[in-house]
Amino acid sequence: VSQLDLSPSDYLIKYIAEHAARGEQFYVQFEDDPSVRLQSQLVPLPLSKVVLGLANGWATSSSKSIFISPSDCKKAYESWTKAKTVPRGFMFWTINEEGRNGVHLAEGLNEFLHIRPHYSSSFQVLPHVLH
């Protein structure tokens, strides 16, 4: 993102706008894996099936991944809503990382997506839910 001179929210907005402009198709380089025996090609991928994966708080100090805050996600979501190009949603790896480095993705995303009523950072993951 920094190499593109874009803010994280602008990167997300641009990524989805370009996907919509391609007719909601994604280029897959099948030829990179000869065992698949398919030519590289555009495959249909409707926005209704696009879920953007986010890195948790561990990414705030990583040079190998991008950290996109819930506030940047909200800015992008508001832009997509206006443009009528809203993807299915967001996801992130492991709820056990919730709160690491002060990052609360579940709570932050819920503030504008309203998936879970009355969600707060006091939410606790029960061990039996994780199995």
Side-chain angles (χ1 to χ4, degrees):
V1 172
S2 61
Q3 294 173 347
L4 298 173
D5 198 29
L6 292 172
S7 69
S9 58
D10 287 340
Y11 174 79
L12 290 175
I13 293 164
K14 182 178 189 233
Y15 184 85
I16 292 298
E18 289 175 352
H19 181 73
R22 278 193 307 274
E24 297 186 26
Q25 298 181 82
F26 191 79
Y27 188 72
V28 180
Q29 296 174 309
F30 290 113
E31 293 169 13
D32 286 352
D33 182 354
S35 68
V36 175
R37 296 197 270 171
L38 291 172
Q39 289 185 332
S40 297
Q41 59 188 291
L42 286 168
V43 296
L45 182 60
L47 284 170
S48 64
K49 295 185 187 259
V50 173
V51 178
L52 300 163
L54 303 172
N56 294 77
W58 51 263
T60 59
S61 59
S62 172
S63 62
K64 294 183 180 184
S65 58
I66 178 175
F67 173 73
I68 301 177
S69 70
S71 62
D72 283 316
C73 293
K74 180 180 180 182
K75 288 177 193 171
Y77 188 81
E78 289 169 346
S79 177
W80 299 328
T81 301
K82 289 177 187 170
K84 296 186 167 93
T85 56
V86 179
R88 181 164 188 125
F90 300 93
M91 58 83 56
F92 57 91
W93 291 264
T94 187
I95 193 72
N96 288 337
E97 294 287 328
E98 182 72 356
R100 183 173 178 177
N101 294 334
V103 175
H104 297 272
L105 288 176
E107 182 177 4
L109 294 172
N110 193 56
E111 285 180 12
F112 65 93
L113 295 174
H114 309 291
I115 302 299
R116 303 272 187 257
H118 312 296
Y119 182 88
S120 75
S121 59
S122 62
F123 173 76
Q124 294 182 351
V125 178
L126 300 175
H128 69 277
V129 175
L130 298 175
H131 298 286

